[in-house]
C-alpha cells in the first residue's frame, strides 16, 4: 500500500481487509505502521476491532488470526509478529493513541468466564473493578455487553486468545514455551510488572499525558435489574475514587489492568458445585451483616473498592435466581496443558515481582498515615499476590487437581502449584540450588505460609488422593510423588504449616472482641490506590479469615498432620512399596527376556511367543526408567518419613512384610474379585493390584493357532502359503489323522506329537469376563507355519551350509534333516510324558 491519502474510513478498512488476503505479513505490518503514524484516531478507531481480531482471532474461535499459539521461533514470521506486538511497538502505539480519545469497544458478556457471566446475568457485579460501570444494557434483546477502553479491549483479546478453542492444522505442533504467544505474555509481564525500575511511560503522548481511565457514571443503575437493595452498594460501587486524584497512580494503572484481565480470564473458572458453595447461607449472612454495617456509616470516599468484601461477589443477597441461569455452568471447564503452563508463567513472574519490593518498604507499617508514602508500584508489589491471585488460583488448582486425568500430563498442574507455594525460589538473593539442596526456608516466609495455609494443606490432601490411585510403577508418576515430597520436606516448612494449623484451631473466643465485619480475605480484586486495608496483626484472625474466605465459615478443616491423614500416608507408603516390588520384577523379567533373546534364540533355544511379555512392562518402563522409578520412590519414602516423623524401623518392617507377602505364587493369583450376577467383578483392591502389577489376568490368544496375527519374526507370504497347503492336507487327510491319533499304541503317541494341536493339551486360565465356549473342536492337524519363521529358515540355511562343508548335496542334507526330525519325534513319543511329569 502506498502512502495513505485522504479517503473515507470505510475504504481504509476495506483496503486492509483486501490486503490481508493478498499481501505477505511483512508488507501488511509495514503498511499498518504507516497508517498508525499518519491517520488520526477518528479513522483508526474504525479499524481497531478488526485489527485486534485479525491478530488474536475471533472470540468464538472461527477466525484463527495470526495463530500466535502455533507460531514458533523457527518460523520466518516470528520476528515480524513480535516486533509489531512488542509492548512499545506499533500495536501498543495505536492503543495509546485511541486511549487518549476515550473510545469504547464492546465485548459480549457471553464470552466472560462462566461464574462471572452467571453473576452478571443475575444482576450482581463481581468484585473486580474491570466490570464496574462498564455494562451496556440493551434496549431490545438479551445481549449484555461490556464497554472497554482500548487498553482493556486489547488486553482482553490477548488473554482470551489462550482459552479460545484451537484447531491445530495437521503437522503443526510445537512446544508451548516456544510459541509466540507464550513469549509475548512473558514480555508483557516483564514490561508492565517490572522487577526493577518503574513501568515505562507511554511511547505516544498526544495531550501531555495519557490519563488512566476514570470510572464512567452509569446511566442505568442495578435497581430493577435483580438487585433488591441498591442502597447497600452505593458506597462500594458507584463512589469509586478516581485514580486521577493521585497523579502518581498513572504509573501503574496499565499494570493493574493487565493483571486483573489475565487473572479474570484465565483463573476465574470453576464448577457449578463450587458456584453454589460460594453462595452458601453462611457466606451470604456474613456479607449481608457487613453491608448493613457499611450502609449505617457515612460515606467515606477514601475507602478503596474491593476492601472489606468477601472473595467472590459484591452482592450475595438472599434472592432466588432463575432456574435457567443454573445451566450456565453445567458445561465443565477443562483447561489445557498450554493454559496451565501460561498460568505457571504468571505465578512465577508475580513472585519475582512481589519479592523485588524494597526491604524498607516491606518493613514499613501499611496502616500508618505517614508523610513518606511508598510509590504506587511498591504498594502494588506488596499486595499483588494475596489480593489479586490467591483466591482464584486456589479454585483453579483445586478444579485441576480434581478433574485432571491420572496421567503424566498432570505434571504441568503440579509444577504450577509447587511454584506458588515456594515464593522463596524467586528472590533476588537466592543462591544456587545446586550448592545447597538442603537449605531451610527463611523465617520471613512464615507469614506467607499462614496466609496460604489451605493451598499447602488442602491441595496436598487432594494430591495424596490422586497419588494413591496412580500407577507409581511409571517413572513419570513416581517423579511427581518425589517432587511433592521433596518440596514439603524442606527444613522449617513443616513447622510453619503445623504452626498455621495450630493457629486455626485456636478457640473462637479470640475473635469475639472484634467488631462485626465479616471474615475478610486478602485476595480481593480491585484498586488499592487510595488507602490500603488495615493489616490485621492477630495471627489467629489472619489464618481463620484466610480459611473461611476460601472455604466458607462452615468448612470442616482436615489437619495435614492429623491421625486421619496419617493413615492415608501409611496407605501411600504401602502402595509405594508395592510399586517398588513390581518395578523390581519388571527389571528382573526384562533381564531374563534380554538373555533369552540372544543369538542362541535363533537356534530354537529362546522364546519368541508374544504372550511371554510381562504385564505392565511398557517400553518406557524398562531399563533406565525402571532404575529411575526405584530412585524416585526410595527418595520419596525418605522424604515422607521426614515430613510426618515416621519411625524408620516400623517403616522398614512394614515394607519387608509387604515384599515377603508378594512372592511369585501370590503374583500368579487372579486379582481380588467378588461374585456378581454375571460372574466375577473387580473390587477396588483388585483394580489397585492390576494398576501396580501385583496380580493380573493372563491375556493370551485362545483362538485357532493357525489364525494368529503374523509376527514380526515371520514371513507374511510364507505364512499365508503354508496355511493354504496345510489346510488342503488337513481337509483331505483329516480323518486319517484323527484315526492315527486315537490309537493307544506307540504309533498313536507318535502321530499325536506331529498332528495334534499342542495348545489343546494345556488349560489356560481365563479372565472372569472371558466367554466359556463349551467343547471347542480341536481336531488333529498338520501345521507348516513354523517353517515360515525367519529363525527356522536361518537354522535350515546353516544346516545346509554345514552339509556343503561336509561335501553333502542338497538332497542328502534334506534326508538327514528329515531323519533327525523323525528321530526327535521318536524320542519325544517314548520319553515325552516322563519329561513333562518332571
Amino acid at each position: 500500500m502506498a502512502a495513505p491519502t485522504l479517503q473515507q474510513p470505510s475504504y481504509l478498512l476495506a483496503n486492509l481487509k483486501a490486503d490481508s488476503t493478498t499481501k505477505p505479513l511483512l508488507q501488511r505490518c509495514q503498511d499498518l505502521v504507516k497508517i498508525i503514524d499518519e491517520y488520526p484516531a477518528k479513522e483508526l478507531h474504525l479499524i481497531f476491532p478488526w485489527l485486534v481480531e485479525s491478530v488474536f482471532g475471533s472470540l468464538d474461535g472461527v477466525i484463527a488470526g495470526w495463530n500466535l499459539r502455533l507460531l514458533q521461533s523457527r518460523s520466518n514470521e516470528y520476528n515480524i509478529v513480535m516486533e509489531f506486538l512488542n509492548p512499545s511497538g506499533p500495536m501498543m502505539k495505536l492503543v495509546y493513541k485511541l486511549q487518549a480519545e476515550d473510545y469504547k469497544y464492546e465485548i459480549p458478556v457471553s464470552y466472560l468466564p462462566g461464574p462471572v457471566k452467571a453473576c452478571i446475568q443475575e444482576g450482581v457485579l463481581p468484585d473486580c473493578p474491570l466490570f464496574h460501570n462498564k455494562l451496556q444494557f440493551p434496549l431490545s434483546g438479551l445481549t449484555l455487553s461490556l464497554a472497554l477502553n482500548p487498553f482493556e479491549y486489547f488486553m482482553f483479546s490477548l488473554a482470551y486468545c489462550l482459552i479460545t478453542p484451537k484447531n491445530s492444522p495437521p503437522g503443526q505442533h510445537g512446544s508451548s514455551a516456544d510459541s509466540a504467544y507464550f513469549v509475548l505474555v512473558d514480555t508483557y509481564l516483564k514490561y508492565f510488572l517490572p522487577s526493577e525500575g518503574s513501568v515505562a511511560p507511554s511511547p505516544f503522548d498526544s495531550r501531555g499525558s495519557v490519563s488512566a481511565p476514570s470510572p464512567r457514571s452509569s446511566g442505568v443503575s442495578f435497581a430493577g435489574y435483580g438487585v433488591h437493595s441498591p442502597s447497600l452498594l452505593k458506597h462500594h460501587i458507584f463512589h469509586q475514587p478516581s485514580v486521577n486524584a493521585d497523579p502518581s497512580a498513572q504509573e501503574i494503572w496499565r499494570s493493574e489492568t493487565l493483571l486483573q484481565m489475565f487473572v479474570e480470564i484465565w483463573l476465574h473458572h470453576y464448577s457449578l458445585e463450587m458456584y453454589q458453595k460460594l453462595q452458601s447461607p453462611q457466606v451470604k449472612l456474613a456479607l449481608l451483616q457487613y453491608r448493613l454495617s457499611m450502609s449505617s456509616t457515612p460515606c467515606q470516599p477514601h475507602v478503596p473498592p474491593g476492601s472489606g468484601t468477601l472473595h467472590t461477589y459484591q452482592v450475595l443477597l438472599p434472592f432466588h435466581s432463575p432456574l435457567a441461569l443454573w445451566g450456565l455452568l453445567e458445561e465443565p471447564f477443562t483447561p489445557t496443558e498450554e493454559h496451565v503452563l501460561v498460568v505457571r508463567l504468571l505465578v512465577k513472574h508475580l513472585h519475582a515481582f512481589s519479592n523485588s519490593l524494597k526491604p524498607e518498604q516491606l518493613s514499613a507499617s501499611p496502616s500508618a498515615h505517614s508523610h513518606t508514602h511508598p510509590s504506587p508500584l511498591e504498594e502494588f508489589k506488596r499486595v499483588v499476590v494475596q489480593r489479586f491471585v490467591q483466591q482464584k488460583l486456589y479454585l483453579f488448582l483445586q478444579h485441576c487437581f480434581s478433574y485432571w486425568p491420572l496421567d503424566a500430563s498432570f505434571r504441568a498442574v503440579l509444577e504450577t502449584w509447587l511454584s506458588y507455594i515456594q515464593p522463596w525460589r524467586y528472590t533476588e538473593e537466592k543462591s544456587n540450588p545446586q550448592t545447597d539442596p538442603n537449605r531451610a526456608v527463611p523465617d520471613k516466609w512464615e507469614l506467607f505460609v499462614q496466609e496460604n495455609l489451605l493451598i499447602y494443606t488442602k491441595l496436598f490432601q487432594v494430591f495424596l488422593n490422586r497419588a494413591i490411585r496412580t500407577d507409581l510403577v511409571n517413572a513419570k508418576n513416581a517423579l511427581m510423588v518425589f517432587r511433592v515430597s521433596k518440596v514439603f520436606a524442606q527444613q522449617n516448612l513443616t513447622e510453619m504449616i503445623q504452626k498455621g494449623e495450630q493457629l486455626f484451631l485456636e478457640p473462637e473466643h479470640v475473635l469475639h472482641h472484634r467488631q462485626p465485619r465479616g471474615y475478610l480475605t486478602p485476595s480481593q480484586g480491585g484498586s488499592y490506590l487510595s488507602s490500603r486495608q488495615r493489616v490485621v496483626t492477630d495471627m489467629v484472625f489472619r489464618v481463620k479469615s484466610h480459611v473461611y474466605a476460601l472455604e466458607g465459615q462452615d468448612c470442616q478443616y482436615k489437619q495435614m498432620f492429623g491421625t486421619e491423614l496419617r493413615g492415608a500416608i501409611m496407605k501411600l507408603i504401602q502402595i509405594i512399596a508395592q510399586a517398588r516390588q513390581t518395578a523390581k520384577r519388571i527389571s528382573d523379567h526384562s533381564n531374563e527376556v534380554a538373555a533369552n533373546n540372544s543369538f542362541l534364540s535363533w537356534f530354537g533355544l529362546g522364546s519368541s511367543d508374544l504372550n511371554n511379555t510381562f504385564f505392565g512392562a511398557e517400553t518406557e518402563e524398562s531399563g533406565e526408567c525402571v532404575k529411575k522409578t526405584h530412585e524416585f520412590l526410595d527418595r520419596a519414602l525418605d522424604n515422607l518419613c521426614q515430613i510426618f516423623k515416621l519411625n524408620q524401623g516400623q517403616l522398614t518392617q512394614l515394607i519387608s512384610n509387604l515384599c515377603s507377602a508378594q512372592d511369585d505364587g501370590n503374583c500368579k493369583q487372579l486379582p481380588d474379585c467378588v461374585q456378581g450376577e454375571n460372574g466375577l467383578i473387580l473390587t477396588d483392591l483388585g483394580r489397585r493390584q492390576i494398576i501396580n502389577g501385583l496380580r493380573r489376568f493372563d491375556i493370551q490368544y485362545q483362538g485357532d493357532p493357525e489364525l494368529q496375527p503374523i509376527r514380526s519374526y515371520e514371513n507374511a507370504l510364507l505364512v499365508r502359503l503354508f496355511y493354504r497347503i496345510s489346510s488342503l492336507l488337513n481337509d483331505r487327510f483329516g480323518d486319517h489323522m484323527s484315526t492315527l491319533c486315537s490309537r493307544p499304541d506307540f504309533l498313536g503317541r507318535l502321530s499325536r506329537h506331529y498332528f495334534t494341536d499342542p495348545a489343546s493339551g494345556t488349560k489356560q486360565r481365563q479372565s472372569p469376563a472371558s466367554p466359556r465356549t463349551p467343547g471347542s473342536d480341536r481336531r488333529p492337524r498338520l501345521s507348516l507355519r513354523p517353517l515360515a519363521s525367519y529363525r527356522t529358515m536361518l537354522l535350515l540355511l546353516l544346516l545346509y551350509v554345514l552339509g556343503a562343508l561336509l561335501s553333502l548335496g542338497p538332497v542328502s542334507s534334506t534326508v538327514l534333516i528329515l531323519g533327525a526330525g523323525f528321530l526327535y519325534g521318536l524320542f519325544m513319543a517314548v520319553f515325552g510324558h516322563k519329561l513333562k511329569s518332571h
Side-chain angles (χ1 to χ4, degrees), residues 479-523:
L479 173 61
M480 288 191 284
V481 175
F482 162 68
R483 287 282 295 121
V484 174
S485 66
K486 180 182 178 182
V487 169
F488 279 85
Q490 296 177 86
Q491 297 180 25
N492 294 351
L493 182 57
T494 300
E495 290 74 13
M496 292 178 183
I497 296 175
Q498 285 179 314
K499 184 176 180 180
E501 290 190 326
Q502 293 171 1
L503 292 173
F504 176 75
L505 297 176
E506 287 288 332
E508 291 290 338
H509 65 79
V510 296
L511 300 180
H512 291 344
H513 68 279
R514 301 188 179 278
Q515 58 181 355
R517 57 183 171 182
Y519 286 107
L520 310 182
T521 175
S523 61

Side-chain angles (χ1 to χ4, degrees), residues 728-747:
L728 291 176
L729 294 176
N730 292 330
D731 292 341
R732 186 176 183 88
F733 303 105
D735 295 337
H736 299 285
M737 295 179 187
S738 299
T739 303
L740 287 173
C741 291
S742 62
R743 296 176 55 144
D745 54 7
F746 175 79
L747 183 59

Side-chain angles (χ1 to χ4, degrees), residues 520-753:
L520 310 182
T521 175
S523 61
Q524 300 105 6
S527 181
Y528 51 84
L529 298 175
S530 296
S531 66
R532 192 169 172 267
Q533 177 184 350
R534 183 173 63 87
V535 176
V536 180
T537 57
D538 184 12
M539 294 186 298
V540 176
F541 183 80
R542 181 194 306 120
V543 177
K544 287 180 179 288
S545 63
H546 157 71
V547 175
Y548 292 148
L550 295 187
E551 289 288 327
Q553 294 180 349
D554 57 343
C555 72
Q556 300 295 326
Y557 183 79
K558 184 187 297 184
Q559 297 184 59
M560 180 174 172
F561 297 95
T563 56
E564 183 178 352
L565 192 67
R566 191 178 185 89
I569 290 295
M570 298 305 295
K571 185 177 181 180
L572 175 62
I573 290 176
Q574 294 179 7
I575 294 175
I576 290 177
Q578 294 171 352
R580 291 169 69 247
Q581 187 72 4
T582 303
K584 182 178 181 301
R585 290 203 309 272
I586 292 177
S587 179
D588 295 342
H589 182 81
S590 299
N591 294 334
E592 294 177 2
V593 171
N596 291 334
N597 288 338
S598 62
F599 180 78
L600 294 179
S601 64
W602 287 86
F603 296 92
L605 301 179
S607 175
S608 59
D609 189 5
L610 285 184
N611 293 327
N612 197 32
T613 304
F614 190 84
F615 178 78
E618 300 179 5
T619 304
E620 63 176 17
E621 294 176 358
S622 58
E624 290 298 325
C625 289
V626 175
K627 294 180 182 179
K628 290 182 180 179
T629 300
H630 268 286
E631 179 184 356
F632 293 148
L633 296 181
D634 288 340
R635 296 171 67 180
L637 283 176
D638 295 338
N639 292 333
L640 290 175
C641 291
Q642 178 181 345
I643 295 169
F644 294 94
K645 305 297 188 292
L646 301 179
N647 187 301
Q648 190 68 32
Q650 295 178 352
L651 181 64
T652 304
Q653 183 65 30
L654 173 64
I655 295 176
S656 62
N657 293 339
L658 286 173
C659 293
S660 61
Q662 297 167 8
D663 53 8
D664 293 338
N666 187 31
C667 293
K668 294 180 181 179
Q669 298 178 11
L670 290 178
D672 188 67
C673 303
V674 295
Q675 187 65 39
E677 296 180 358
N678 299 324
L680 296 178
I681 301 176
L682 274 175
T683 63
D684 292 337
L685 175 60
R687 294 188 183 94
R688 195 175 300 117
Q689 290 170 341
I690 292 178
I691 289 175
N692 292 290
L694 303 178
R695 298 183 184 180
R696 63 189 177 97
F697 296 113
D698 283 339
I699 303 176
Q700 297 183 352
Y701 185 83
Q702 298 176 354
D704 187 350
E706 295 296 309
L707 299 179
Q708 292 186 66
I710 299 175
R711 312 297 173 82
S712 60
Y713 55 83
E714 294 178 324
N715 185 281
L717 180 62
L718 292 179
V719 168
R720 297 185 178 95
L721 176 62
F722 287 145
Y723 174 73
R724 293 186 180 182
I725 295 175
S726 58
S727 297
L728 291 176
L729 294 176
N730 292 330
D731 292 341
R732 186 176 183 88
F733 303 105
D735 295 337
H736 299 285
M737 295 179 187
S738 299
T739 303
L740 287 173
C741 291
S742 62
R743 296 176 55 144
D745 54 7
F746 175 79
L747 183 59
R749 292 200 303 269
L750 183 62
S751 300
R752 284 192 293 271
H753 172 74

